[in-house]
Amino acid sequence: MSQNNNKSSSNKPNRSGSGGDRDPMNSGGNMFSRNWFWIVIAVLVLILSRYLFSTGTSSADLIGLNEVAKLAARGEIAKIVVQGDDLFIEQKGKSETLRSRKENDESLLASLEALGVSSERLKDLQVEVKSTPNSGAIFNWLIMLLPMILIFGFFIFIMRQAGAGGQNRAMQFGRSKARKLDTGDRPTITFEDVAGAEEAKQELEEVVEFLKEPQKFAALGARIPTGVLMVGSPGTGKTLLAKAVAGEAGVPFFSSSGSEFVEMFVGVGASRVRDLFDQAKKNAPCIIFIDEIDAVGRHRGAGLGGGNDEREQTLNQILVEMDGFDTETNIVIIAATNRPDILDPALLRPGRFDRKVVVDRPDKRGREAILRVHARGKPLDPKVDLSKIAAQTPGMVGADLENLINEAAILAARRNKRSIGMDEIVESIERVMAGPARRSRVLTEEDRKTIAYHEAGHAIVMESLKNTDGVGKITIVSRGQALGYVMPLPEEDRTLKSKGEYQDELVGLLAGRAAEELIFAEPSTGATNDIERVTKLAKAMVTRYGMSSEIGPLQLQQGESNPFMGMDFGEQRSYSEDVARKIDKEVRGIVELAYKRSLEILSSKMDKLRLIAETLLEKEVLDRQEFLELFNSPVAMEGAAD
C-alpha cells in the first residue's frame, strides 16, 4: 500500500515552494516575457537605422541655396520640387538631380529673389510642391517614445531582479519554504551511518517501519504516532538522525526549519504552516522534519512585554494541524531542539508529540562506535586504537568526534603521511579541546618557570588522590587561551559523583596555586580559571547538591528558566540573610580545606614537584609514561608518604 502511494505521489507535479516539474509551455512563455524588452529595443533600432539610411542625405550631395540662385539666374533649372524644407533641382539637358535645403518656414521664391534672381526668371521657374512623407513623423514619435520605453523597461528589469528566485514574490510570500525530498533527492545516509544513539535509532526505525508497513500495526489497533520530538545537546546527532530517516523512508520527506515560518508580517507564518501541511496531505503518507522548533514553539504569552503575535499565531496553526479536527492523515512530524524546557506545554502533550526521544551524549562505547563510523574510508595506521581515543574524549559528542578525525587527517596530510597515526589523533584531541599550539607566543623565563610548577602541581595531586582522573599528558606549550594544561585520562565515564569525588576535584584544581605559593611564596594570575571553577563547584555542593552538613539536604540555588530569553534570567533567592551567611561560611570552609590538603600533598612531594617542573622546562611536553617514570623515580620517592 505504501509503495503504491509513493509511486502515485512521485507522478504528481511537485507543488513545494522549492520547485518541481515545470510546464514546458509555461517555461517558454516565461522566457519570452523576460526577453520582450530587448526584443522591442532591437525592433526600434532596426526601424531607426532603416529610416536614417533611406532618408538621410549625405553632406556631399547637397549644394547651397546660393548655388541654386545662380543656376536659376542663368536659366539652367528646368524644375524645382519642394518637399518640406528639401529641394530637388532638375537641370535642363542633364539627368542628374541636385539637392538643397531652404530656410525653415521661408518661401523659396522670396529666398531666391533675395539672392539676386530677377522676377522674370522667377516667373519662368517651374516649382512643384509635394507633401512631406509620414516617415518623418514616425521618426519624431519614435524619438519621443524611446526614453520613456527605456525608463519603463529599466524599472521592470529592477523589479524582476529583486524577485529573482521566485516566479512572483507577492503571490509566493505565504507559501512554505520546506524542501521536498523524493526518491532521487534523499540523502544517502542511513541508520548504519548513525552510532552512539541506539535508543533513538530504535524509536525512529519504528516510525519508518510504520510508514512502510502500516497494516502490520493497524492489525493490532495501533495508531501512527503524530510526532516525535528529538531532544539533545548541540552536536549529538539530531539532524543526522533526521537525514537517516529521510534516507530510509520510502515516503516523501519535507525538511524545514522553525525560523522559516516566522516573518515580520503577522499571519505569514501561519499561512506557510497551512501550505506545508496541505502539500504533506497531498503526498501522504509522508514525514515532515522541523529543525530547531524552539524558534517557533516557545511558551505562549511569556517573555518581557508579552508574547510575539506572529510567532504565537504560527504556533497555534501548528497545534491545530497536528491535532485538530482532521486527524485521519498519515503524516509524521519529527522535530529537533536543544531547549525542550522553553517549549509550549500544548506542543508536548500526547496526540501532538507522542514520543520524546533523548539524544544524549555518547558513552565510551558510543564514542568508539562514532569514531569507527567517521574513520570509514580513511587510511588509519594499524597502531591506532580507537578505544583509547574514546577513553580520552569524555563529554565529546558526535560533531566533536567527526571534527577530531577530520583534524587528524589534515595533520597527516600536512606532514606528508600516507596514513593517519596515533600521534595525529592525539594532537587533534588537543586542538579540538584547547585550540592549535601557539609556539610563537614569547614568554619570559620567569613565566615559563611559573607555568611549569603550576602544571606540575596539578599533575602530582591528581595522580596522588584516589577519586581523581589520572594524568594523560602535561604540557607548557600554549594552546588557545591556555598557557599550559594537564590532560586528564579518565578510566571510565561517570554519571554520578559522590561528595568525596567533588572534594578531591577541588583539591586538584587548587594544586596549581598551592605549588606557586610553595615555590615562589606568592600566587600569580595563572590560577584565575581554577579559582572560578572551584568557587562554582563549592557553591553548587552547598546550594544544589545538599552536600553540606550545616545546610543539610536543601536546594537553595534555583534559576527559573525564562522562555523569552532562552536562558536563566537570574538566580531567585528563596532563603534569608542568615542562611546566606551560612552558605558563604560553608563555601569558604570547603575551599579552605581543599587548599590546605593541596599544600600538604605538595609539601610532602617537593622533590617530585621540582623534578617534574624542571623536566617540563626542558622538554615542554610529558606523556603519561614519562610522567609516571618521574613520579615513581627513586630520587623522588623520598618524602612520598601522604
Side-chain angles (χ1 to χ4, degrees):
M1 179 177 179
S2 61
Q3 293 176 353
N4 292 335
N5 289 335
N6 187 26
K7 184 177 180 180
S8 62
S9 63
S10 64
N11 292 333
K12 294 180 181 180
N14 190 350
R15 295 180 174 86
S16 64
S18 60
D21 296 336
R22 292 184 176 180
D23 187 355
M25 295 298 294
N26 292 336
S27 177
N30 292 336
M31 183 178 297
F32 179 79
S33 63
R34 287 193 298 267
N35 298 329
W36 70 268
F37 173 71
W38 302 110
I39 295 175
V40 171
I41 292 298
V43 171
L44 290 177
V45 170
L46 289 175
I47 294 175
L48 291 176
S49 60
R50 180 179 176 82
Y51 175 81
L52 291 175
F53 281 111
S54 61
T55 61
T57 303
S58 174
S59 58
D61 297 332
L62 288 175
I63 62 173
L65 194 58
N66 56 345
E67 294 293 332
V68 177
K70 291 179 180 179
L71 292 174
R74 293 196 296 267
E76 297 178 1
I77 297 177
K79 182 180 179 182
I80 298 178
V81 178
V82 181
Q83 192 174 46
D85 293 334
D86 293 328
L87 305 177
F88 299 91
I89 300 97
E90 297 179 5
Q91 303 179 67
K92 294 178 179 179
K94 294 182 180 181
S95 60
E96 180 184 2
T97 301
L98 301 177
R99 302 178 112 178
S100 181
R101 292 183 61 86
K102 68 180 183 64
E103 296 293 334
N104 190 18
D105 296 332
E106 290 288 338
S107 172
L108 173 61
L109 297 178
S111 299
L112 294 176
E113 186 177 2
L115 290 173
V117 180
S118 63
S119 56
E120 290 80 5
R121 291 292 186 187
L122 292 176
K123 288 179 182 179
D124 298 335
L125 186 62
Q126 183 179 357
V127 178
E128 181 181 353
V129 179
K130 291 185 178 180
S131 60
T132 306
N134 293 330
S135 58
I138 295 175
F139 176 76
N140 293 334
W141 275 105
L142 289 177
I143 293 297
M144 293 173 59
L145 291 176
L146 186 59
M148 299 176 61
I149 294 174
L150 290 174
I151 294 173
F152 181 70
F154 175 76
F155 277 109
I156 291 180
F157 177 76
I158 294 298
M159 291 171 62
R160 287 189 176 276
Q161 287 295 107
Q167 295 180 357
N168 192 332
R169 289 264 177 180
M171 300 300 295
Q172 299 284 337
F173 202 62
R175 297 290 300 276
S176 170
K177 296 183 179 180
R179 293 160 295 282
K180 179 186 175 184
L181 304 180
D182 284 320
T183 304
D185 301 328
R186 292 197 192 103
T188 57
I189 298 174
T190 62
F191 285 126
E192 294 181 358
D193 301 314
V194 181
E198 300 305 321
E199 294 80 6
K201 283 171 58 177
Q202 182 179 357
E203 295 287 337
L204 295 173
E205 283 174 352
E206 288 182 2
V207 172
V208 173
E209 187 179 0
F210 204 119
L211 291 170
K212 288 183 175 180
E213 300 180 279
Q215 64 276 5
K216 173 181 175 182
F217 297 87
L220 298 175
R223 68 172 180 84
I224 188 170
T226 306
V228 178
L229 180 64
M230 293 191 294
V231 177
S233 303
T236 51
K238 300 183 294 296
T239 305
L240 182 66
L241 280 168
K243 291 181 179 179
V245 172
E248 293 279 355
V251 296
F253 187 93
F254 292 87
S255 175
S256 182
S257 172
S259 60
E260 293 180 356
F261 296 107
V262 182
E263 286 285 355
M264 179 177 63
F265 304 105
V266 176
V268 174
S271 174
R272 290 180 177 175
V273 171
R274 287 192 295 270
D275 184 68
L276 172 60
F277 277 85
D278 286 343
Q279 295 180 47
K281 291 173 184 176
K282 295 175 182 178
N283 293 275
C286 65
I287 297 175
I288 296 176
F289 174 63
I290 304 177
D291 199 5
E292 303 295 345
I293 195 173
D294 51 276
V296 70
R298 290 172 180 255
H299 200 295
R300 288 171 292 181
L304 301 177
N308 180 286
D309 288 339
E310 163 64 357
R311 179 176 53 77
E312 292 186 4
Q313 285 196 24
T314 306
L315 175 58
N316 291 337
Q317 189 63 42
I318 292 177
L319 297 177
V320 172
E321 295 289 351
M322 289 188 68
D323 190 21
F325 218 69
D326 183 15
T327 58
E328 300 299 324
T329 56
N330 293 332
I331 301 174
V332 176
I333 296 93
I334 300 177
T337 180
N338 49 33
R339 290 304 309 270
D341 54 316
I342 64 174
L343 295 180
D344 193 276
L347 194 64
L348 301 177
R349 72 163 178 82
R352 291 199 172 106
F353 282 106
D354 302 288
R355 297 187 179 184
K356 184 177 179 181
V357 178
V358 178
V359 188
D360 206 353
R361 293 179 181 272
D363 56 11
K364 181 180 176 181
R365 288 183 299 176
R367 292 195 298 273
E368 183 178 352
I370 293 173
L371 287 170
R372 294 190 184 281
V373 168
H374 292 303
R376 291 177 186 171
K378 294 181 175 63
L380 292 183
D381 190 274
K383 296 181 181 180
V384 173
D385 189 349
L386 294 180
S387 61
K388 291 184 179 180
I389 302 301
Q392 296 180 26
T393 54
M396 283 195 180
V397 296
D400 297 326
L401 297 173
E402 180 186 10
N403 188 31
L404 187 151
I405 295 295
N406 186 61
E407 288 289 341
I410 293 174
L411 286 172
R414 189 181 301 169
R415 296 171 181 176
N416 297 321
K417 291 188 175 182
R418 294 183 178 274
S419 62
I420 303 172
M422 198 71 175
D423 293 339
E424 286 76 29
I425 297 181
V426 171
E427 185 172 347
S428 68
I429 295 176
E430 299 180 53
R431 292 174 66 91
V432 171
M433 295 177 61
R438 301 178 61 184
R439 296 185 179 274
S440 60
R441 175 179 281 179
V442 179
L443 297 174
T444 63
E445 194 61 32
E446 290 78 7
D447 288 343
R448 293 183 72 250
K449 189 174 182 180
T450 301
I451 297 170
Y453 276 97
H454 182 104
E455 302 304 335
H458 280 306
I460 291 173
V461 172
M462 288 172 60
E463 195 67 32
S464 301
L465 294 174
K466 180 179 66 173
N467 296 318
T468 56
D469 297 328
V471 177
K473 184 178 182 179
I474 319 172
T475 178
I476 59 173
V477 177
S478 300
R479 283 186 180 272
Q481 298 298 319
L483 299 176
Y485 59 90
V486 177
M487 180 182 292
L489 185 63
E491 296 180 359
E492 57 185 9
D493 293 342
R494 297 176 181 176
T495 304
L496 300 176
K497 279 192 174 184
S498 64
K499 181 179 178 180
E501 290 173 341
Y502 276 126
Q503 289 175 336
D504 286 358
E505 184 176 347
L506 292 175
V507 176
L509 287 172
L510 290 171
R513 177 187 170 93
E516 293 180 17
E517 186 172 338
L518 288 173
I519 299 298
F520 305 105
E522 60 179 2
S524 70
T525 58
T528 303
N529 181 255
D530 297 332
I531 295 173
E532 180 182 354
R533 294 170 60 188
V534 164
T535 305
K536 289 182 179 180
L537 180 55
K539 188 174 182 180
M541 290 174 63
V542 175
T543 60
R544 293 186 61 190
Y545 306 144
M547 293 180 177
S548 169
S549 57
E550 181 70 21
I551 302 298
L554 296 176
Q555 189 177 43
L556 303 176
Q557 183 180 353
Q558 298 175 354
E560 184 177 353
S561 182
N562 185 285
F564 181 79
M565 299 294 289
M567 60 180 69
D568 290 344
F569 190 64
E571 181 183 350
Q572 305 296 320
R573 286 187 55 172
S574 58
Y575 46 86
S576 63
E577 291 296 330
D578 183 59
V579 175
R581 283 191 290 271
K582 291 182 179 180
I583 291 174
D584 293 341
K585 183 179 179 181
E586 283 294 295
V587 171
R588 179 179 291 275
I590 292 174
V591 174
E592 288 179 349
L593 178 60
Y595 191 59
K596 181 180 179 181
R597 290 180 61 194
S598 294
L599 290 172
E600 291 175 353
I601 294 173
L602 291 176
S603 297
S604 64
K605 296 178 172 60
M606 288 296 293
D607 292 340
K608 295 182 182 182
L609 179 62
R610 296 182 185 278
L611 177 61
I612 294 173
E614 293 300 326
T615 307
L616 269 176
L617 287 173
E618 180 182 352
K619 293 186 175 181
E620 292 190 338
V621 179
L622 294 176
D623 58 22
R624 177 165 179 79
Q625 184 177 356
E626 293 172 330
F627 167 73
L628 290 179
E629 289 177 358
L630 296 173
F631 186 79
N632 298 320
S633 63
V635 177
M637 291 299 292
E638 304 173 3
D642 181 8

